[in-house]
Amino acid sequence: MPGHGGCGDGLYAGAAYDATELDGLDNLLCPKGAIAEAETLAAQAFGCARSLFLTCGCTIANHIGLRLMAEYGRRVIALGPMHASFASGCMLAGIEPQYCETVEQACDAVADTDVAGICVTSPDYFGRCADLPTLARAAHDAGKLLWVDAAHGAHFGLCDGLPERAERYGDIVGVSMHKTLPVYGGGALLQLSDRVPADRAVYWRNLLHTTSPGYLVMASMDYARAWAQTHGAQAYRDTIARIAQLRLPSPCAVVANDDPTRLVVSTADADARDANAQLQAQGVWAEMACIDRLVCIVTPRNVDRLDALERALARVNWRKADPIATPAPCADSGVRGGAVEFVSPRDAVGRICGAPAGTYPPGVPLIRRGQIYDEDTVRYLTQASDAFGLVHGRLVVLEDKGV
């Protein structure tokens, strides 16, 4: 076990490194040897008190982190758009999110006695970073915690041209190493400050994480950490320099953001999704197409493909965008609890949402549990090809009728 026996080529070329809890390889849920040492080295490299390896992606980091937050209060302050795993994590932890739109609102609200702390995504899908110093100061002055979903910021801090690492300010930080560092899919870190008891985090990891972690994934995480410490600074300087030389055809333009390796391309009034389909036909895949934006994650391992991106963009037949208008926020019913059922879209209008739903990427819910489905939202979700939150084409609603 695993059944491939560590042998193979082609797809199974890495099988020799895909092992299990053999003597000498350690156990993620009770690390005492190689994994424990790798976690210590990661904490030192990324500047935090404790680093926990995860092989289920940043989703499990968010779920563990919110379980920790729930031990400090029954509410959290959520600043700006949050990933679907935040909404599901709050549901599973029995914690109530209070959404704020501005830093000022979040800083004021964190002082409430039943609030565990502030939660924020930084960077977001478009490379924009939150004001973590201000948020950390407000949270810590109130005796609370700062929780950061930094899934897309594993490479931060590797050179002067990149933003600071979220670990410098956050107390509970989730990082998807596999998004921007040379790590196999699912490799993530839960980073903790000395304000958070590490034994509580390990306790929740033991309860929530799979008992069959990917050893190939963990090995790649340790290799990537070592690579980042030795070669990361120069590799990312070279990557940033190449991006700065990018030649884009009309109507494209680079959209400025905080992460110079997050290439966000404006397509003006042209349809980015149609353009992305044409890019894929030429063998080029963007990370995301969203109305009039193409998003590409550029790393030292794929920077040489920018030549292909330039050529492919020059061949695109640009068509005017005709996107489905994003619906306005749904009304809140005030109801959070109750069993769920699954109904056809035509029967969902007026019912109370039972699980977050939206489109991916970026994976930010369009409607959250407790909000009331309206016609526009139902139409949007059922017409989208990349919707999440549906179950076999049906929408999740609470058993109680909508208001």
Side-chain angles (χ1 to χ4, degrees):
M1 202 281 274
H4 52 60
C7 303
D9 53 18
L11 178 64
Y12 295 98
Y17 305 99
D18 184 34
T20 185
E21 291 86 355
L22 303 174
D23 288 344
L25 294 185
D26 210 359
N27 184 335
L28 179 63
L29 302 189
C30 186
K32 298 176 182 177
I35 296 174
E37 182 181 357
E39 290 182 332
T40 298
L41 292 170
Q44 295 170 353
F46 297 128
C48 56
R50 184 68 187 268
S51 182
L52 301 185
F53 274 28
L54 309 168
T55 66
C56 305
C58 212
T59 290
I60 200 66
N62 291 344
H63 288 181
I64 295 171
L66 288 163
R67 287 284 183 172
L68 290 169
M69 293 290 279
E71 298 185 3
Y72 293 85
R74 67 179 185 86
R75 286 193 297 138
V76 291
I77 306 304
L79 175 59
M82 305 295 291
H83 190 262
S85 61
F86 169 80
S88 60
C90 287
M91 289 171 56
L92 295 171
I95 196 168
E96 179 71 17
Q98 176 183 329
Y99 291 90
C100 294
E101 296 300 324
T102 68
V103 171
E104 293 74 17
Q105 291 172 348
C107 291
D108 289 341
V110 75
D112 291 351
T113 55
D114 63 343
V115 169
I118 298 173
C119 298
V120 66
T121 300
S122 183
D124 66 10
Y125 236 105
F126 297 96
R128 299 170 298 200
C129 295
D131 184 358
L132 296 185
T134 298
L135 294 171
R137 185 164 53 250
H140 297 157
D141 286 349
K144 310 297 177 66
L145 301 175
L146 176 61
W147 178 100
V148 185
D149 180 349
H152 289 264
H155 60 301
F156 281 13
L158 291 184
C159 71
D160 294 340
L162 293 169
E164 294 180 299
R165 296 194 61 83
E167 289 90 330
R168 180 171 179 180
Y169 303 101
D171 301 300
I172 302 172
V173 180
V175 179
S176 285
M177 291 186 75
H178 70 97
K179 292 190 183 299
T180 59
L181 293 179
V183 170
Y184 283 111
L189 297 169
L190 180 64
Q191 313 282 58
L192 306 172
S193 78
D194 55 13
R195 295 183 179 86
V196 180
D199 56 352
R200 304 300 297 174
V202 171
Y203 165 75
W204 283 113
R205 178 176 67 176
N206 289 352
L207 291 179
L208 298 175
H209 197 280
T210 176
T211 58
S212 300
Y215 276 72
L216 182 59
V217 176
M218 288 189 288
S220 72
M221 293 167 67
D222 195 37
Y223 272 75
R225 183 270 312 158
W227 172 86
Q229 288 182 292
T230 306
H231 306 291
Q234 188 59 52
Y236 268 95
R237 288 191 195 100
D238 293 343
T239 299
I240 294 169
R242 172 62 183 92
I243 295 171
Q245 298 171 356
L246 192 68
R247 300 180 303 277
L248 296 177
S250 178
C252 297
V254 173
V255 179
N257 61 74
D258 298 307
D259 179 4
T261 68
R262 182 56 55 102
L263 178 59
V264 182
V265 177
S266 167
T267 58
D269 63 348
D271 190 337
R273 292 196 175 193
D274 176 72
N276 192 37
Q278 295 184 57
L279 292 179
Q280 292 176 11
Q282 299 180 62
V284 176
W285 273 259
E287 164 68 12
M288 177 177 69
C290 181
I291 305 177
D292 62 347
R293 295 286 190 274
L294 287 168
V295 179
C296 300
I297 300 176
V298 187
T299 74
R301 296 298 180 101
N302 68 17
V303 66
D304 59 338
R305 300 178 194 171
L306 287 181
D307 293 339
L309 175 63
E310 289 172 333
R311 292 191 297 270
L313 284 172
R315 300 188 187 107
V316 169
N317 179 19
W318 300 98
R319 300 183 179 95
K320 188 174 179 60
D322 185 23
I324 304 171
T326 304
C330 294
D332 195 328
S333 70
V335 178
R336 297 292 182 268
V340 301
E341 60 179 322
F342 313 105
V343 300
S344 67
R346 66 176 178 275
D347 295 326
V349 176
R351 300 291 299 273
I352 301 175
C353 177
T359 56
Y360 190 87
V364 175
L366 179 66
I367 185 170
R368 301 188 291 268
R369 184 181 178 95
Q371 292 183 313
I372 304 170
Y373 272 109
D374 59 24
E375 290 185 6
D376 290 341
T377 301
V378 170
R379 184 184 306 111
Y380 185 90
L381 289 173
T382 53
Q383 290 181 2
S385 61
D386 50 3
F388 66 85
L390 285 73
V391 177
H392 296 153
R394 293 180 292 173
L395 297 175
V396 185
V397 299
L398 299 183
E399 284 188 344
D400 294 334
K401 295 292 182 179
V403 178

